[in-house]
Amino acid sequence: MAGNCKYIFVTGGVASSLGKGIVSASLAKLLQARGHSVTIMKLDPYINVDPGTLNPYEHGECYVTDDGAETDLDLGHYERFLNVPTSQANNITSGRIYSNVIDKERKGDYLGKTVQVIPHITDEIKNAVMKLGDSGRYEVVITEIGGTVGDIESLPYVEALRQMKYDLGEDALSIHLTYIPYLQASGELKTKPTQHSVKMLLSLGVQADIVVCRSSYEMTEEMRKKIATFCNVKQHEVMQSLDAESIYDVPLMLLEEKLDIVVMNKLNLPLSGEPDLDNWKSFLHKLKNPKTKTRIALVGKYVELKDSYKSIAEAVGHAGAVNECDVEIDWIHSEDLGNGDVASILSGVHGIIVAPGFGERGVEGKIQAIQYARENKIPFLGICLGMQCAVVEFARNVLKLEDAFSGETNGNAKNRVIDLMDNQVGIVNKGGTMRLGAYRCNLVEGTRVSKIYGRTEISERHRHRYEFNNMYRAQYEENGMIPSGLNPDNDLVEIVEIKDHPWFIGTQFHPEYKSTVASPHPLFCSFIEATSVHAQVQSEVAEA
Ligand code: GLN
């Protein structure tokens, strides 16, 4: 690859949740559209070694990569925008950095030296960033630093950034994302918090090269000039990032601001022609101009925080665009179903997704939602725990197996139709011990899934401990629930479907992780199509 790898660092200030991940992914998209190979990594300042052990209420969904890393949900955005797989190397936490350093210290690698934040922790951070660049696979590595500048926790990352900027010179660039608040009383946008935030970064030795301002209203040239004057940047290096209707608008909005051109000029990357965003624009056009409408229920136990199901919601959005269908999601709390009238809560939905999850809470509600979908022939997609609940529901209500449970909810039940495999029994550590990452799956010819995928060999990502119990397989098949996807290496059931139903599929894997703008997931596309057919039929019935 010609030239040195270029490094872009994205920090945030003033407030959290400004969308550093989306800005990073959007910039990466623009550079990719101009023909550059780009990857994005996230540095997370918390002490957990990975987010796998975090409750979704803390940080939203845990995103899983092909190589089985449990990562921050921003990696999902990176993949959805770039359509390039990420890996463990794309997400590093302070916990992992410290754990690596402590391991080395125990091995004696530091030869008796006092092990310190500077240089040992900062070197470990720098190595993690440079490793991606040194792989030779990318022309540009974008590094998003989690948290807000000034936080105690992110200080070592900002210090590593300072050192890398010094070492790399013109091959490194720092983008600072801030917030421009609007004061209702005086009707004004205010730049002072941005000025202070850029100064805070400067006090740590890092001069921002580009300031991106998140704002709800258009910024004037006067405001840009003011920020430029106070922050040692040029006026055209101050950009606005307005609130967007869809996250997929952001690359085009930043294109208007010429973020890509300013970045490429600063990094001495050749500018050639216009970025190729035709497919992106056609996706957006379909997303915004739907011809039909459906309503689906997403049944889960973390629905208060929608980020807990980020990839599912995005995959549904991609599938909606493909079908030119406006999909409204009803977020249904599984515990409400367990106590209430399932039919009235779910009445009028054209499809039901039962979400992944862990533990006992809300499981009975999920099982009732599935019974409702099965009996009323409503399109149903069960993901991971959602698939396991479908298997339990079928056992109880069709196979008439009393006392059917997943071993996760009742380890003493007589019929544990979902259970731990031998290799999971006895594992006590919670971190990184599940069946994680990509596994091969063979689809049985003639089944619904083989038609949907249009092939018989697939690979999908997993994150679970429990499995379909093969001792019951024949009973399921005889009664119409077909194991239609099997793991070729160990014969585990990865997909079940019901023959006598318009669309009923449960997957032990998580299809949502692999849905991207450039490649929407076939299962979601087919599911949304089925919900739109169901909506059509329902409206014809209502009119008749
Ligand atoms: N709790 C279930 C298991 O561990 C399902 C996990 C999930 O839905 N991701 O097998």
Side-chain angles (χ1 to χ4, degrees), residues 140-190:
V140 183
V141 175
I142 300 179
T143 302
E144 178 192 346
I145 299 183
T148 307
V149 164
D151 294 349
I152 290 177
E153 293 184 317
S154 50
L155 284 176
Y157 291 119
V158 179
E159 169 58 16
L161 157 57
R162 185 191 69 75
Q163 294 178 22
M164 278 186 278
K165 271 201 89 180
Y166 183 76
D167 297 342
L168 293 163
E170 290 194 339
D171 289 334
L173 185 76
S174 132
I175 299 180
H176 191 53
L177 176 65
T178 71
Y179 179 57
I180 305 282
Y182 175 75
L183 291 192
Q184 195 78 41
S186 56
E188 278 178 300
L189 289 170
K190 289 296 192 187

Side-chain angles (χ1 to χ4, degrees), residues 356-359 383-385 388 408 463-466 510:
F358 292 85
I383 302 175
C384 208
L385 179 62
Q388 297 175 353
E408 185 176 18
R463 181 173 187 249
H464 56 100
R465 292 196 169 80
Y466 291 81
H510 293 254

Side-chain angles (χ1 to χ4, degrees), residues 50-67:
D50 62 43
T53 50
L54 286 172
N55 184 320
Y57 287 129
E58 297 277 320
H59 278 276
E61 135 187 315
C62 170
Y63 185 78
V64 178
T65 55
D66 276 335
D67 65 345

Side-chain angles (χ1 to χ4, degrees), residues 343-360:
S344 72
I345 296 177
L346 293 174
S347 84
V349 302
H350 310 121
I352 297 174
I353 295 180
V354 174
F358 292 85
E360 214 183 321

Side-chain angles (χ1 to χ4, degrees), residues 289-515:
N289 297 283
K291 300 199 173 103
T292 54
K293 189 171 168 45
T294 59
R295 224 179 97 210
I296 64 163
L298 181 82
V299 181
K301 70 170 173 178
Y302 306 112
V303 288
E304 299 90 335
L305 183 69
K306 302 200 170 39
D307 271 0
S308 308
Y309 303 108
K310 191 81 208 163
S311 294
I312 296 178
E314 295 303 322
V316 165
H318 303 158
V322 167
N323 285 285
E324 294 178 82
C325 175
D326 174 17
V327 188
E328 186 191 332
I329 302 182
D330 268 5
W331 300 80
I332 310 274
H333 205 299
S334 44
E335 280 176 301
D336 292 346
L337 291 171
N339 309 326
D341 177 2
V342 177
S344 72
I345 296 177
L346 293 174
S347 84
V349 302
H350 310 121
I352 297 174
I353 295 180
V354 174
F358 292 85
E360 214 183 321
R361 186 166 70 87
V363 162
E364 290 304 318
K366 288 182 171 174
I367 291 173
Q368 289 184 32
I370 295 164
Q371 182 175 7
Y372 181 79
R374 185 177 56 77
E375 292 178 350
N376 294 286
K377 306 250 184 262
I378 298 168
F380 165 79
L381 173 61
I383 302 175
C384 208
L385 179 62
M387 172 268 201
Q388 297 175 353
C389 289
V391 169
V392 173
E393 189 280 324
F394 201 82
R396 289 186 190 170
N397 300 320
V398 181
L399 305 183
K400 302 289 178 207
L401 290 176
E402 273 171 48
D403 197 29
F405 275 96
S406 159
E408 185 176 18
T409 35
N410 185 348
N412 299 318
K414 197 165 64 197
N415 290 300
R416 297 195 300 278
V417 289
I418 299 289
D419 210 359
L420 276 188
M421 293 295 94
D422 289 346
N423 58 2
Q424 284 285 345
V425 175
I427 292 179
V428 284
N429 272 354
K430 293 279 183 249
T433 54
M434 287 187 258
R435 178 146 84 102
L436 287 166
Y439 284 85
R440 293 191 302 149
C441 172
N442 286 355
L443 305 180
V444 179
E445 299 245 14
T447 55
R448 186 185 297 276
V449 282
S450 73
K451 288 185 200 115
I452 292 173
Y453 278 90
R455 59 201 152 101
T456 51
E457 286 179 18
I458 61 165
S459 164
E460 294 279 5
R461 300 181 195 169
H462 291 248
R463 181 173 187 249
H464 56 100
R465 292 196 169 80
Y466 291 81
E467 307 281 356
F468 182 97
N469 186 340
N470 271 331
M471 281 184 7
Y472 295 87
R473 195 145 127 193
Q475 285 187 66
Y476 278 89
E477 275 175 293
E478 282 155 22
N479 288 279
M481 183 176 261
I482 309 297
S484 52
L486 299 167
N487 184 314
D489 302 310
N490 51 24
D491 207 33
L492 287 172
V493 173
E494 312 285 37
I495 310 178
V496 292
E497 61 182 63
I498 291 183
K499 261 201 298 196
D500 183 23
H501 189 284
W503 209 103
F504 189 108
I505 292 174
T507 65
Q508 186 56 84
F509 52 78
H510 293 254
E512 70 275 20
Y513 293 143
K514 283 181 74 166
S515 186

Side-chain angles (χ1 to χ4, degrees), residues 192-232:
K192 191 78 80 190
T194 294
Q195 297 170 35
H196 280 296
S197 180
V198 174
K199 255 183 221 156
M200 165 71 81
L201 186 59
L202 191 55
S203 75
L204 300 171
V206 177
Q207 168 65 52
D209 297 303
I210 295 173
V211 181
V212 178
C213 305
R214 183 69 195 273
S215 173
S216 300
Y217 301 93
E218 289 275 345
M219 287 169 68
T220 60
E221 279 309 312
E222 209 42 46
M223 290 168 67
R224 293 179 195 240
K225 194 169 162 192
K226 197 166 174 185
I227 292 171
T229 311
F230 279 96
C231 299
N232 304 332

